[in-house]
Amino acid sequence: MSARSSAGFVLVTAAALTAALATPALAAAPSASTHTPAQLTQAIASHESHTLHGLAQPGKVNATVSSTNWSGYAATGSTGAYTSVTSSWTQPSVTCSSATTYSSFWVGLDGYSNSALEQTGTEADCIGGKATYGAWWEVLPASESAYSGVTVKGGDKFTATVTYTGSTFTMTLADSTEGWTKTTTHAGSSGFKNASAEVIAEAPEVGGSVASLANFGTVNFTGAKANGSNLDTYSPNEIVMTKSSSSAVRAQPGSISGGSFADVWKAN
C-alpha cells in the first residue's frame, strides 16, 4: 500500500473511531430532571385530611404555641377578619426508605380556632419506598381532593391562594415550573368564620391518625400575605410541631419577616 493510501486509511479510521465514541453520549439515557416521580392519586388523597391536632394554649395571641401536626404561622382574629391568604414556596424533595411518611405544604382560611377550613397546597410523601408528590385542595369536613392531570416534582415553584369573595371560596394553586394552574370554587365549610389565615407545613392525618412526618428538609415560604398585607404584620402565632407523647420537636418554623420564613424538619 502506498504512503498516500496508508495516510487516507488512517484518517478514515480516526474519523470513524471519533464518531463511534461520540455515539454513546448522543444515545445516553434521559437526565434525572426529565424523570417523573410517582404522583398523588385520588385513592391516596381520599384517606388524607388536614385538621389541626393537639393545639396547646389555643387562646394565646402573638405567641408561640405547639401542635402535633402543624408547623408555621397562623394569623388570628374575630369572625370575618380574613378574606384572603397567599404564599409561594419551592416544592421540597424527599429521600425515602422503607418507612411510609407524609408531608404537606399549604395556605388556608379558618382551621386554627374552629372546625372549618378551606385550603390548597402540595405534598411530598414516601409511599411503598417511593417518593410521591402531588397537589390538592380541601374543604373540611371532607377529605383531601387531588388535582388531576398535573405533575409535581421536587424543585417546582408554587404559589397558592385562598380567597373569600363574599359568597364562595376560590382556591388556586399554580406551578410556574411545570406551567399549570388549578382553581376550585366552593361554598366553604359549614359554619366558616374566616377568623384565621395560615401558612403551614404539616404531617397530615391519614386514615384517621396523624402520619409520620416525611423528611422534607427545609421549605421556604415567601410572599405570605393575608388580606394583601404581609402575614407578620398581624402578629401571627408561631406553631411548632411536636410529638404527641413528648415535647420533642418534629418541625420548627424560623422567624417570619416580610412575609417570608423557613420551616425545618426535625423528626418524624
Side-chain angles (χ1 to χ4, degrees), residues 13 15 27 49 90 99 103 118 134 140 170 179 188 199 222 239:
T13 302
S49 179
T90 298
S103 62
E118 301 82 23
L140 291 178
T170 300
V199 178
T222 61
I239 309 171

Side-chain angles (χ1 to χ4, degrees), residues 26 33 64 112 120 123 190 216 226 265:
L26 294 173
S33 62
T64 297
Y112 182 84
T120 189
E123 64 185 78
S190 176
F216 60 82
W265 180 93

